Amino acid sequence: MSGFVEKPEPIQVPGLVHLHTGKVRELYQNEAGDLVMVASDRISAFDWVLPTEIPDKGRILTQLSLWWFDQLADLVPNHVLGTELPAGAPADWAGRALVCKSLQMVPVECVARGYLTGSGLVEYKETRTVCGLALPEGLVDGSELPAPIFTPATKAEVGEHDENVSYEEVARQVGADTAAQLRQATLAVYSRGRDIARDRGIILADTKFEFGLENNDTLVIADEVLTPDSSRFWPADQWQPGRAQPSYDKQFVRDWLTSPESGWDRASEQPPPPLPERVVEATRAKYVEAYERLTGTTWS
Ligand SMILES: Nc1ncnc2c1ncn2[C@@H]1O[C@H](COP(=O)(O)OP(=O)(O)OP(=O)(O)O)[C@@H](O)[C@H]1O
Ligand SMILES: [Mg+2]
């Protein structure tokens, strides 16, 4: 079992049709047919959307994505149309609602990895490959790869794991042309992000993008980009291959949930418990720190 510990009731706004409740975002359609994407303060871990929210997380991730879209604009078009609140929307949507192009989403999680960890490390240990790509011997948890690699995954339903797939499988599913474009765009955006983050003392270990098609042909980058929810960010000054790296994300949450203090057994059918205040605060501080270091501005 997994999914939502408590499934949220979406807010109804006149003039907007609610389309979908994602793990973190609520999707609506406005009268012009555009998408209104509202990031909540929800947080997920171990395939569960937790019963506790992280204050400001929705605004931080939205503002960070907007900043990145600007940094990437010359590489790939993005889905943002505007940041103006739809008429009648609750005031607390400010800063976390985006009006976006409603795209035909490509059903592939486009992952780029510049460092070895996570599911990549698990596969590497078994077969010395990641998504079927051969890698040199002797790599350990946190090693930098000789060059960034495209390691796509199929998008899972809420509560299911995404599954790594080969490039050939992606090409079978979406066509050779789109697959080639996805790989090219994913690696180009990753490389730009990695270089910018590196200048600010952050290692972009890996990240996930989602793309959509506009008018059936133009590839557009959608969803969120280069946030702590979609990426592994490591403080560069603490990077030490051969162990798990400290990171700017849900680490406090994962550590607490798997500690005896939480009383939660990950393997059980039981939903995870609420987070204690200090875990919430420490997690919020990590998101703020990632935002401030990357953008070079103060969070307010
Ligand atoms: N421009 C766009 N057009 C259409 N859909 C989009 C666009 N940008 C993002 N999406 C979709 O909006 C949803 C964002 O919500 P969220 O990130 O909370 O979902 P998720 O938990 O990652 O995935 P799911 O929606 O499957 O639960 C994703 O399903 C994403 O694919
Ligand atoms: Mg998502």
Side-chain angles (χ1 to χ4, degrees), residues 14-281:
L16 298 185
V17 178
H18 182 258
L19 300 176
H20 178 71
T21 297
K23 286 194 280 292
V24 171
R25 275 155 263 272
E26 298 291 343
L27 299 192
Y28 297 82
Q29 188 168 43
N30 68 15
E31 281 166 347
D34 297 325
L35 194 72
V36 178
M37 203 171 76
V38 187
S40 72
D41 291 342
R42 298 194 285 269
I43 188 166
S44 64
F46 303 122
D47 298 319
W48 283 94
V49 180
L50 304 182
T52 315
E53 297 196 328
I54 307 298
D56 297 329
K57 178 174 175 282
R59 283 200 301 134
I60 296 169
L61 295 196
T62 302
Q63 297 308 308
L64 186 56
S65 281
L66 282 171
W67 182 82
W68 277 117
F69 281 132
D70 279 347
Q71 316 300 310
L72 305 169
D74 60 310
L75 294 177
V76 59
N78 66 66
H79 70 159
V80 179
L81 292 170
T83 57
E84 205 174 307
L85 272 194
D92 79 347
W93 279 18
R96 58 192 184 91
L98 293 181
V99 183
C100 301
K101 290 176 184 169
S102 178
L103 302 170
Q104 183 195 334
M105 295 303 286
V106 181
V108 176
E109 307 269 277
C110 292
V111 178
R113 298 169 193 268
Y115 293 75
L116 188 65
T117 192
S119 67
L121 179 66
V122 173
E123 183 182 329
Y124 174 81
K125 281 182 175 164
E126 283 167 11
T127 58
R128 202 157 293 129
T129 62
V130 177
C131 286
L133 295 168
L135 291 173
E137 288 193 37
L139 301 179
V140 294
D141 193 355
S143 288
E144 184 170 9
L145 300 174
I149 53 175
F150 177 58
T151 61
T154 52
K155 197 178 166 81
E157 296 298 313
V158 172
E160 301 291 322
H161 285 306
D162 292 347
E163 207 167 307
N164 287 349
V165 291
S166 67
Y167 179 74
E168 289 68 33
E169 180 57 33
V170 174
R172 257 193 300 278
Q173 280 183 27
V174 304
D177 226 46
T178 302
Q181 282 187 60
L182 291 174
R183 178 167 63 186
Q184 189 278 331
T186 298
L187 292 174
V189 175
Y190 169 81
S191 301
R192 171 73 59 82
R194 174 202 56 199
D195 293 349
I196 292 176
R198 185 177 284 160
D199 283 347
R200 289 150 164 87
I202 291 179
I203 291 173
L204 174 59
D206 54 40
T207 193
K208 185 255 319 180
F209 305 115
E210 291 185 33
F211 295 90
L213 287 170
E214 188 176 11
N215 307 325
N216 255 320
D217 61 354
T218 311
L219 202 67
V220 176
I221 193 164
D223 206 51
E224 61 177 338
V225 284
L226 296 165
T227 70
D229 275 15
S230 65
S231 321
R232 284 193 176 91
F233 292 125
W234 298 336
D237 58 358
Q238 293 171 56
W239 176 55
Q240 208 180 292
R243 59 156 164 97
Q245 312 301 315
S247 72
Y248 283 98
D249 59 9
K250 306 168 183 173
Q251 196 185 325
F252 288 116
V253 172
R254 294 197 202 96
D255 289 352
W256 184 79
L257 283 173
T258 51
S259 75
E261 198 194 322
S262 79
W264 183 59
D265 175 9
R266 197 182 153 185
S268 75
E269 300 279 292
Q270 294 305 306
L275 303 173
E277 187 52 35
R278 76 185 147 72
V279 174
V280 171
E281 259 319 301

